[in-house]
Structure formats: C-alpha cells, structure tokens
Amino acid sequence: MRASMMLAVAALMTSAAHAQTLTYDQALRDAVANAPGAAAGRAGVTAAQADARAAGSLPDPRVAVGIDNYPVSGPPAFSLSRDDMTMGRVGFQQDVPNLAKRHAAQAQARAVIATAEAAQATKLREVRLGAGQAWIDLAYAERRLTALDTVLHALRALPSAARAAVTAGTVRPGQTVTTDQGIAGLEDRRDELVAAVARARAMLARWTGVSAPGTAGVMPAIDLSPARLRDALSQHSDMISADAGIRRAEADVDAARAEKRPDWGVEVAYQRRDPRYGDMVSAGVSMTLPLFARSRQDPRIAARQSARVQAEAQREETRRALAADLEAALADHQMHHNQWERARDVLLPLARKRAELETASYSAGRASLTDAIEAKTALADAELAVLEREALVAADGVRLTITFGSVDR
C-alpha cells in the first residue's frame, strides 16, 4: 500500500511538472499549428497549387528516329547505300491542343485549388472546434469539481454532529443514515467529475499536442449575433466547396465542348542519305478531324452538363442543411441560455435561502438536523446545476462561433 501511494504521488508530481496551462486563444492557436489534420489540409492545398502550374501547358514534344525507303526487294534489297532514296531520319513532333481545351484545363485546376482550400478550411474548423470544446469542457469540469469539493468539505463534518445529536436524544438513529447517503451520492458525483476532467484533458491534449494541458485565463467572450452568423453562411467552407464543385463542373463542360474543335500538330524531320546524294528536310502539320461528334463528343457534353446540374443541386442542398443546422443550434442555445439564467437568478437564490432558513430553524430547535442537511445538499445541487448550464451555454457559443462564423472569428 505504501509503495502504491508513493507511485501515485510520483505520477502526480510528474504530471504537474509537464503540465502546461493554456488560455482559450492559445489552445486554438496550438491546435492549428500542431494538429496533423491541419498539416494535411495545408499539404493538400500546396499539392493542388503545384499541379495547377502545369495545367493548360503543351504536351511534351516527341523525337522520332527511323529509316525511310529501305529496300527489301530487287537488286538493292537490304542495302543502305545502293538506293538513292534510302535515308536515315531524325524528326521532332509537337502536339498543340486547341486553345479552348487548354483554357478549360486551367479552369479545372483553379477549381481543384478552391476545393482543396475549402477542405483545408473545413479541417481547420474541425481542429479549432475540437480544441475549443475540449478547453471549455476542461475549464468547467475543474470549476464544478472545485465547487463540489467545497461542499463536501462542509458536509463531511455533519455525520459526527448527527451522531452527537443521537447521543443527546434529539435525532433518531435512523436519521443519520440520510446524512451518509447524501454524502455518498455527492462522492459519486465527484468521481464522475474527476473522470470528466481526465476526459477533457485527454481531448485537449489530442488537439493541441500538449501532453498534460491545463486551462488558464478567463472564459472566452462569446458575442453571438444571429444576423451576422446567417450572413456568414455564404462564406462557410462547405459552401465554398460546393461553389468550387460547380466551377469544376462548368470547366468540365467547357473541356468536353473543346473536344469538338480540332487539335493541331507540327513535325519537322531531317533525312540523311548516302554522301553521294543530298540530304533532305521534311515539315508538316497535322489536324484532328472530329467528324463523328454525334456519337463521340456530344454524349460527353451531355454527361458533363448533367454533372453541372447535379453540382448546382448539391450546392442548394448544402445551403439548406447549413441554414437548418444554424437555426436549430440557435434555438438550443437560446433554450440553454434561458435555463442557465433561471438556475442562476431563481433556483440558486431559492436553494441558498432554504439552506439559510433550515440552518436557522435547526439552531432554534424547530427543524431537525436531517432537514438542514437536505437543504445544504440541495444547495450544492443548485450550485452545480448553475455551472453545468453555464458550461452548456459556453459550449454552444464556441460551437456556433467556430462552425458558422467567419474564418477570422
């Protein structure tokens, strides 16, 4: 037992030595800087930008090497020098896609960048939201634990007072059980709060990369403006991603239409013959002939147009879902805010007044010790309820601000 206690104390000291307190803003900054998901989002944008630099460029040229007019029959058969038309050839070929196709490729690349940037913004929002909620959960769990410890410290002296009252004959023996039951119930709640603190600390460590984080500073000032949040929906990363999807679909339509225009190619070749004859140079231009558009290009154009309609419908679906989620979250926030104010301004003062009255009545001999203990227990419940409801309001504010607010908030 002694060894176990020493190990526990050593573990606590080690944890305290490595603990790092974070303000709310520091937690968000560390999460954005250290979270692997944030790094993955940045890498995705960098990759899309690198790909875009090559979009719309000409394809690589080709070098052709060969032999022309090599005889395989007759007197000069299988000879490189007996026929004056036999030549060694080195050529250069360059395909030139039509300009509309190249412009469409550039538009597609810009849409991919916008999609990657929206994905990065979504990941950053997820990281900031996770860190913010973990910070709020940890801060309020610690506050509730402190408040409960204060109550338990006061209540733990009551069982001895109850037993003394039994000895004096002013309290029945069975009434002391109520005291022990109430304290045991609060001890259970304390265990739950200790676990809640550990869970919140683990989540905050996950998002920030700090091994044993703690909270410091004041609670974040949440200034919720429903009108501003509604206006910011158009800049939500999901909407930006949907808009990028539409632009990508439009670029795909342009690319499909560009297939109906001819592509070009140029070729230059140098042909060397036997030294007895002169060398030659050849040059030419080639062009594709999209003669069967009805069976080739037109079906592709129709498919890309349908994909554009799909992208537009998905954007509208995204807008409606975001608007509905925002209104539902605002309604929940208003409910939680009203419940918190009621608990703070009505229920807690009433519980405090009852505890004072029951304590005074007990001192005057008009109430039992059990009545006083029940009133104090109810006061403890009311104090914890206020903190729990305040935590819900704070968590709602963080969630609404990060999820639906502009990027800089």
Side-chain angles (χ1 to χ4, degrees):
M1 179 65 70
R2 182 182 179 87
S4 299
M5 292 180 63
M6 292 178 65
L7 288 174
V9 171
L12 289 173
M13 292 177 63
T14 302
S15 176
H18 292 283
Q20 178 181 346
T21 57
L22 301 170
T23 65
Y24 177 79
D25 291 335
Q26 286 174 336
L28 297 190
R29 287 196 298 268
D30 285 358
V32 171
N34 300 325
R42 290 189 291 269
V45 173
T46 302
Q49 292 172 339
D51 277 341
R53 288 197 291 270
S57 59
L58 294 177
D60 291 333
R62 295 191 300 273
V63 174
V65 178
I67 297 177
D68 294 337
N69 304 320
Y70 180 67
V72 294
S73 64
F78 307 111
S79 172
L80 294 173
S81 58
R82 295 174 62 185
D83 192 302
D84 61 355
M85 294 300 295
T86 302
M87 298 174 286
R89 172 175 47 85
V90 176
F92 171 86
Q93 300 173 346
Q94 175 66 64
D95 293 330
V96 184
N98 66 75
L99 194 58
K101 185 180 295 185
R102 294 165 62 188
H103 286 169
Q106 293 169 347
Q108 289 171 328
R110 289 192 296 269
V112 170
I113 292 176
T115 301
E117 290 174 342
Q120 179 194 23
T122 298
K123 179 57 67 175
L124 289 177
R125 185 181 71 239
E126 177 186 338
V127 168
R128 295 174 69 244
L129 180 58
Q133 288 188 322
W135 193 95
I136 289 291
D137 290 344
L138 179 57
Y140 277 98
E142 290 175 336
R143 290 177 64 179
R144 293 199 300 271
L145 182 60
T146 300
L148 184 56
D149 283 340
T150 302
V151 172
L152 280 173
H153 179 74
L155 291 180
R156 285 192 180 108
L158 294 180
S160 59
R163 287 189 289 271
V166 170
T167 302
T170 58
V171 173
R172 298 190 306 274
Q175 291 179 310
T176 60
V177 175
T178 303
T179 305
D180 295 331
Q181 288 175 332
I183 293 175
L186 292 177
E187 292 283 4
D188 286 343
R189 294 187 66 176
R190 187 185 189 282
D191 291 339
E192 294 173 358
L193 287 176
V194 170
V197 168
R199 286 195 301 270
R201 180 169 286 115
M203 292 303 297
L204 189 56
R206 170 200 170 183
W207 294 112
T208 62
V210 178
S211 59
T215 60
V218 297
M219 296 296 166
I222 305 298
D223 179 20
L224 286 179
S225 171
R228 186 164 58 244
L229 291 176
R230 294 186 183 103
D231 291 341
L233 280 183
S234 61
Q235 300 302 316
H236 193 277
S237 59
D238 290 352
M239 292 299 298
I240 294 175
S241 179
D243 290 336
I246 292 176
R247 293 198 296 273
R248 173 62 186 268
E250 291 173 345
D252 290 343
V253 172
D254 292 340
R257 287 173 175 164
E259 294 290 342
K260 299 180 74 171
R261 299 184 181 185
D263 294 329
W264 297 86
V266 295
E267 179 179 359
V268 177
Y270 177 79
Q271 297 158 318
R272 180 174 178 78
R273 297 196 291 178
D274 187 272
R276 293 174 296 173
Y277 311 106
D279 296 341
M280 295 183 177
V281 173
S282 300
V285 177
S286 62
M287 180 181 68
T288 61
L289 298 176
L291 300 177
F292 306 99
R294 180 174 298 179
S295 60
R296 294 180 181 176
Q297 287 81 15
D298 288 348
R300 295 193 184 99
I301 294 173
R304 302 301 180 267
Q305 289 173 333
S306 296
R308 181 180 61 188
V309 174
Q310 180 186 20
E312 292 171 347
Q314 289 174 340
R315 183 193 186 280
E316 177 61 17
E317 181 180 14
T318 299
R319 186 195 66 79
R320 293 185 184 183
L322 284 174
D325 290 344
L326 173 59
E327 296 304 324
L330 286 172
D332 286 343
H333 174 66
Q334 186 61 50
M335 174 190 66
H336 292 153
H337 192 273
N338 292 340
Q339 291 175 340
W340 169 54
E341 288 186 335
R342 189 176 301 112
R344 182 193 63 188
D345 300 336
V346 179
L347 298 180
L348 180 58
L350 289 175
R352 185 177 292 115
K353 185 65 175 178
R354 178 193 172 194
E356 293 172 354
L357 292 175
E358 291 292 358
T359 300
S361 297
Y362 171 69
S363 300
R366 293 193 303 270
S368 67
L369 179 61
T370 302
D371 294 331
I373 292 173
E374 289 178 352
K376 289 182 179 294
T377 304
L379 175 59
D381 288 339
E383 291 175 343
L384 292 175
V386 170
L387 287 174
E388 289 171 356
R389 294 183 182 186
E390 183 181 348
L392 281 177
V393 173
D396 287 344
V398 168
R399 184 164 56 254
L400 282 164
T401 302
I402 294 178
T403 302
F404 299 102
S406 57
V407 177
D408 58 346
R409 289 185 58 83

